[in-house]
């Protein structure tokens, strides 16, 4: 990882910016990256191991992201200290305050917890891959936004498990497939093995939707103790229901 240098805005032809960090003293650098109009790949880590990331840094970064009209690949990470300060845990909440999203995004990664997915994610019509790591979001907090994405083919989620085993208590999961997902035959859920108390999965959509048909086959194999979850005990099997429109 390296710190974004001041003056980077002069590199107008730059298309890829990877493995960079923004810390408490990088407000100017956070502002300058917004002037890189040809940037297509941006991988940045917010580093608060020494001090909580300054609000000016986050505000300028949000403004810069909204200006990146060519951006296709965005990875926003949070290098958190061992301190349990709640403000540190929610650093990526700044994503809620983008004036406008980078609308051509095809891949979006978020590492670190956030208070609900930003609504603008649901407007990313070109988004194909979405990943969120170390989150506590579940149910409508995730899928209420993600179900709006017409071209999403790959979803990867890892949950932060607290002492109370938050995700292990989830009993019901409902997924809706509308006309915009008819092409998404590469549908899958990663992390089903963490939902040890799951009792019922409901799928809702048109009976001719190939994504729905594929999902039913996949989940029924999992729910019966076969498929990817062959080690699941009989007591932990879940029921798959389908609501056709």
């Amino acid at each position: 990882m390296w710190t974004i240098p001041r003056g980077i805005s002069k590199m107008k032809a730059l298309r890829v910016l990877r493995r960079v960090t923004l810390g408490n003293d990088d407000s100017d650098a956070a502002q300058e990256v917004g002037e890189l109009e040809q940037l297509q790949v941006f991988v940045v880590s917010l580093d608060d191991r020494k001090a909580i990331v300054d609000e000016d840094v986050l505000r300028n970064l949000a403004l810069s992201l909204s200006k990146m009209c060519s951006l296709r690949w965005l990875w926003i990470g949070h290098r958190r200290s061992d301190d349990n300060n709640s403000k540190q845990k929610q650093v990526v909440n700044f994503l809620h305050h983008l004036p406008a999203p980078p609308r051509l995004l095809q891949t979006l990664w978020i590492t670190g917890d956030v208070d609900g997915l930003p609504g603008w994610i649901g407007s990313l019509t070109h988004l194909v891959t979405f990943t969120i790591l170390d989150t506590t979001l579940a149910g409508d907090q995730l899928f209420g936004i993600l179900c709006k994405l017409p071209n999403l083919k790959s979803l990867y989620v890892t949950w932060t498990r607290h002492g109370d085993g938050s995700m292990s208590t989830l009993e019901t999961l409902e997924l809706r497939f509308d006309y915009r997902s008819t092409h998404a035959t590469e549908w899958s859920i990663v992390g089903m093995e963490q939902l040890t108390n799951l009792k019922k999965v409901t799928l809702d959509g048109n009976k001719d939707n190939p994504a729905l048909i594929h999902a039913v086959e996949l989940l029924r194999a999992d729910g019966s103790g076969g498929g990817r979850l062959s080690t699941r005990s009989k007591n932990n099997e879940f029921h798959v229901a389908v609501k056709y429109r």
Side-chain angles (χ1 to χ4, degrees):
M1 289 285 186
W2 54 285
T3 302
I4 299 177
R6 293 183 180 180
I8 197 171
S9 59
K10 298 177 182 178
M11 304 176 67
K12 299 296 185 182
L14 191 66
R15 295 191 176 187
V16 178
L17 188 57
R18 296 179 183 270
R19 297 184 61 79
V20 296
T21 65
L22 286 171
N24 198 45
D25 300 320
D26 297 322
S27 178
D28 290 341
Q31 182 177 12
E32 286 192 45
V33 294
E35 300 179 35
L36 302 175
E37 296 180 354
Q38 297 188 46
L39 195 66
Q40 296 184 8
V41 177
F42 188 32
V43 178
V44 60
S45 177
L46 302 171
D47 192 346
D48 69 359
R49 290 176 297 173
K50 296 180 180 179
I52 297 173
V53 179
D54 188 83
E55 288 295 326
D56 286 340
V57 175
L58 300 178
R59 188 180 304 110
N60 287 344
L61 180 56
L63 182 60
S64 289
L65 290 173
S66 70
K67 295 179 179 179
M68 295 181 179
C69 56
S70 298
L71 198 64
R72 304 297 199 278
W73 210 105
L74 175 62
W75 188 98
I76 294 285
H78 177 205
R79 301 180 71 184
R80 188 170 62 213
S81 73
D82 293 331
D83 192 331
N84 288 324
N85 189 299
S86 61
K87 290 184 179 179
Q88 289 178 319
K89 291 183 179 181
Q90 304 297 331
V91 166
V92 287
N93 271 341
F94 85 94
L95 291 172
H96 284 283
H97 306 298
L98 268 65
R103 296 193 179 280
L104 297 182
L105 273 184
Q106 298 175 355
T107 298
L108 175 60
W109 284 56
I110 300 173
T111 299
D113 205 14
V114 60
D115 290 333
L117 287 186
W120 56 261
I121 291 178
S123 70
L124 299 176
T125 57
H126 299 282
L127 197 69
V128 176
T129 300
F130 178 74
T131 298
I132 184 166
L133 308 178
D134 301 332
T135 187
T136 58
L137 300 181
D140 286 345
Q141 293 176 308
L142 274 177
F143 298 109
I145 297 294
L146 298 180
C147 69
K148 300 177 182 179
L149 297 169
N151 289 304
L152 188 67
K153 291 187 178 180
S154 177
L155 171 62
Y156 187 87
V157 182
T158 65
W159 286 280
T160 298
R161 300 188 66 176
H162 301 290
D164 60 357
S166 56
M167 286 310 300
S168 64
T169 64
L170 188 69
E171 294 187 358
T172 62
L173 177 63
E174 182 168 344
L175 304 174
R176 296 182 180 181
F177 296 77
D178 63 16
Y179 69 93
R180 295 171 295 182
S181 64
T182 55
H183 66 287
T185 56
E186 300 177 10
W187 186 95
S188 65
I189 292 182
V190 177
M192 289 291 290
E193 66 278 1
Q194 298 183 32
L195 308 180
T196 55
N197 203 44
L198 191 65
K199 305 299 183 187
K200 182 178 181 180
V201 178
T202 301
L203 306 177
D204 182 340
N206 190 293
K207 64 179 180 180
D208 297 322
N209 188 323
L212 175 60
I213 295 172
H214 178 69
V216 171
E217 294 175 351
L218 190 67
L219 285 172
R220 280 182 173 165
D222 289 345
S224 62
R228 301 168 300 169
L229 305 180
S230 57
T231 59
R232 199 179 185 102
S233 70
K234 285 287 185 182
N235 292 333
N236 288 332
E237 292 180 0
F238 58 85
H239 175 66
V240 178
V242 185
K243 294 193 296 185
Y244 292 121
R245 301 179 199 173

